[in-house]
Amino acid sequence: MSTAELVDGTAAAAAREDMTGLMTELVGMYRSITGDGVRETLARVAKDVPVAVHEVPSGTAVLDWTVPPEWNVRDAYVADRTGHRVIDLHASPLHLVGYSVPVRATMTLDELRPHLHTLPEHPEWVPYRTSYYTPGWGFCLSQRHLDAMDDGPYDVLVDTTLEPGFLTYGECVLPGEQPEEVLVSTHVCHPAMANDNLTGIAVATALARLLAGTTHRYTYRLLLLPGTIGSLTWLAGNPEVLPRVRHGVVLTGLGGPGPLVWKRTRHGRRAVDRAAEHVVGQRDGEVRDYSPWGYDERQYNAPGFDLPVGRLTRTPHGEYPEYHTSADDLSFVSADNLVEALAAVLELLDVLEHDAVPVRCGPPGEPQLGRRGLYPGIGGHSAQEQVLALLWAAGCADGEHSLLDVARRAGLPFAAVRRAAVLLAENGLLELRDLA
Ligand code: ZN
């Protein structure tokens, strides 16, 4: 099976249960940028695809950064005088500020307040907060929950460890016919929240599972990393791989609201940008320019690396109120949106794998399709699309335009134009040359 057979939507639709099931299994794990939550997450993904788990020691110098101490959490609560847990980590991983240092204390509500985080504008929601690189501790809770607390005193326990250990990331390499690579990257450091970023993990895992069953030209490298420090660690540790990276995409936020959004590479006009702009445009999505603000695309695109890595999301981070709150739960994401996102990624890869330059072989002028039985036997929209694709592929086979150029100009799916070009080639009317 080739990757071209993955683009009709059937494969993406069939992955629906795998993606939603994976998210349900991952949602309760205590993920952070290091620690056992990341290991558990990778172990679960490794049941679906061959993930190699890498462990990089704390204190390792990584470019301008240092791998931090490993953080793990056993328990955390704020309890009243009767021992009742007023705030309990086990009710939601979001209740504890990520990377909180250990604490055991008795405090009044006023003493506790500087360590409590709420969202007054959304009084039912719990915010997501971290303190990776500044030692501190705290709890997150809803404003309504805080308003119901009395003056205390309270027993406060943060039973965490922050000590020399490892940064853990996962890597799944699917060798292709060529050593040149396509990078697919997603972050695995967020606890509890679904859109950011269980959807990225789910789509990337489903993608790798589908690719593992196909033949493909490129070698695919799926990276499952803690944000920022994880991608920097991978970049620093793999200098020999970087020259082989031809295209790349960061996947995140794919199940929430809004149309698909492609964020261009820093260069802005890479092959992956042109391909993604067409795929996303065909799905009424948006294309945005690069900015050094966002997810790991900003590391891949940074000067010194300058890799051609764009980003696919729906409504981007910070632009929906549920972002980084307890409202980004499993009910916030839609399985239909996940399926569409996976289908779009498969289309993007189809363009990267199969774009070519059609060159006319037959006589000049429109070829007589009917004589060769190339007109579809039955009518309707898809038949009309097939005829248009044949006319466009034949009508632009001047050796100066690629199949993607033709698809963009025709406003047709790339796969339709490619199928038409293959049919014409099989009938001796054109040949398909590799892109220069
Ligand atoms: Zn985030």
Side-chain angles (χ1 to χ4, degrees):
M1 189 179 184
S2 108
T3 49
E5 292 165 66
L6 299 176
V7 293
D8 70 354
T10 313
R16 168 187 293 257
E17 306 298 325
D18 291 344
M19 292 191 286
T20 54
L22 179 61
M23 296 200 311
T24 305
E25 287 186 59
L26 297 181
V27 74
M29 296 176 184
Y30 294 96
R31 275 176 296 276
S32 184
I33 54 171
T34 61
D36 290 335
V38 175
R39 292 190 187 95
E40 278 175 56
T41 300
L42 298 177
R44 172 57 192 86
V45 173
K47 290 183 181 175
D48 289 356
V49 292
V51 174
V53 175
H54 299 270
E55 301 270 10
V56 180
S58 305
T60 303
V62 171
L63 308 166
D64 199 41
W65 299 61
T66 305
V67 172
E70 179 175 328
W71 184 74
N72 282 292
V73 54
R74 278 186 290 258
D75 199 3
Y77 61 78
V78 173
D80 66 18
R81 279 150 290 181
T82 70
H84 172 68
R85 292 185 176 205
V86 179
I87 308 172
D88 184 2
L89 171 78
H90 298 302
S92 166
L94 293 181
H95 282 314
L96 181 64
V97 170
Y99 259 69
S100 282
V101 298
V103 176
R104 184 183 288 273
T106 301
M107 301 171 87
T108 64
L109 182 59
D110 277 345
E111 290 168 326
L112 198 47
R113 270 184 204 281
H115 298 282
L116 299 180
H117 305 274
T118 65
L119 288 169
E121 66 276 27
H122 294 289
E124 305 289 343
W125 298 355
V126 179
Y128 166 54
R129 297 278 186 274
T130 61
S131 188
Y132 299 140
Y133 301 104
T134 309
W137 63 274
F139 287 88
C140 299
L141 68 167
S142 71
Q143 183 65 44
R144 184 169 300 249
H145 191 160
L146 175 59
D147 292 344
M149 287 173 68
D150 64 27
D151 293 338
Y154 293 97
D155 287 328
V156 178
L157 178 83
V158 177
D159 185 7
T160 54
T161 54
L162 199 56
E163 48 197 31
F166 298 90
L167 175 148
T168 310
Y169 71 86
E171 188 171 38
C172 168
V173 179
L174 302 168
E177 291 159 2
Q178 297 177 4
E180 284 76 27
E181 297 201 1
V182 178
L183 212 61
V184 178
S185 178
T186 195
H187 58 279
V188 293
C189 49
H190 287 35
M193 293 163 294
N195 195 40
D196 183 18
N197 184 36
L198 295 178
T199 62
I201 300 172
V203 172
T205 303
L207 177 70
R209 200 170 177 175
L210 290 170
L211 289 172
T214 64
T215 56
H216 37 86
R217 174 177 146 205
Y218 287 113
T219 292
Y220 287 86
R221 187 180 297 263
L222 166 62
L223 296 174
L224 300 139
L225 312 149
T228 306
I229 188 68
S231 51
L232 286 167
T233 299
W234 182 82
L235 284 160
N238 290 274
E240 76 290 355
V241 175
L242 306 187
R244 300 202 297 269
V245 176
R246 290 288 175 276
H247 317 283
V249 56
V250 168
L251 297 177
T252 177
L254 295 165
L260 292 167
V261 177
W262 176 254
K263 176 181 168 179
R264 290 189 184 107
T265 67
R266 188 165 66 94
H267 185 275
R269 293 181 56 77
R270 307 278 203 165
V272 71
D273 293 309
R274 298 188 69 251
E277 285 174 21
H278 182 61
V279 168
V280 165
Q282 284 269 302
R283 294 173 175 277
D284 297 323
E286 271 180 57
V287 176
R288 300 202 186 176
D289 217 342
Y290 180 79
S291 75
W293 165 246
Y295 293 96
D296 289 314
E297 69 278 3
R298 65 189 202 274
Q299 311 310 334
Y300 301 122
N301 282 275
F305 295 120
D306 204 19
L307 296 178
V309 179
R311 186 188 75 193
L312 189 68
T313 63
R314 292 186 179 277
T315 302
H317 59 97
E319 298 180 26
Y320 53 97
E322 295 85 355
Y323 169 71
H324 278 191
T325 77
S326 58
D328 178 6
D329 61 11
L330 290 174
S331 71
F332 180 62
V333 303
S334 134
D336 286 347
N337 283 357
L338 283 182
V339 167
E340 192 207 20
L342 176 60
V345 178
L346 291 170
E347 286 180 21
L348 170 63
L349 301 187
D350 185 40
V351 179
L352 300 176
E353 287 272 326
H354 296 117
D355 198 14
V357 178
V359 185
R360 171 179 65 80
C361 303
E366 186 174 302
Q368 196 180 356
L369 300 177
R371 173 160 73 84
R372 297 179 171 87
L374 295 179
Y375 273 114
I378 38 172
H381 173 76
S382 83
Q384 193 186 1
E385 184 177 274
Q386 279 178 49
V387 173
L388 278 174
L390 284 162
L391 294 175
W392 273 102
C396 292
D398 58 5
E400 292 176 22
H401 299 90
S402 76
L403 296 176
L404 178 61
D405 295 332
V406 177
R408 284 166 69 110
R409 192 163 174 188
L412 288 169
F414 173 84
V417 172
R418 177 177 176 271
R419 273 195 297 271
V422 167
L423 201 55
L424 292 166
E426 286 167 359
N427 280 271
L429 291 167
L430 56 77
E431 63 172 307
L432 287 168
R433 295 185 186 162
D434 287 345
L435 291 181

